[in-house]
Amino acid sequence: PKKEEEIPFSHRATKTFEQSLVEAEQLGASCVEPEHVLLALAQDEEGVAARVLEVFGFDYASVRRFM
């Protein structure tokens, strides 16, 4: 069998995945779902995703209200 290779993630991606887990736990979820990743991306105000959300009138607080 072929050995699985680890995919190296950037510091920002790792931080986003970690924050996704925190969001899932805070919302009482048993696993991380796409909405938790979205919340983590929205929280990273320096990231591209948060800036795109802002263009459409969304920020972390407004996304969290939908959850």
Side-chain angles (χ1 to χ4, degrees), residues 4-52:
E4 288 187 37
E5 295 180 34
E6 287 189 29
I7 300 173
F9 292 108
S10 68
H11 175 70
R12 175 171 265 148
T14 300
K15 193 171 119 180
T16 299
F17 290 135
E18 290 170 351
Q19 185 59 36
S20 298
L21 179 59
V22 170
E23 294 293 344
E25 289 171 345
Q26 288 178 352
L27 291 169
S30 60
C31 63
V32 175
E33 300 285 348
E35 57 265 32
H36 306 123
V37 177
L38 177 62
L39 283 168
L41 289 169
Q43 196 171 33
D44 180 9
E45 295 176 353
E46 295 178 13
V48 174
R51 290 187 298 210
V52 170

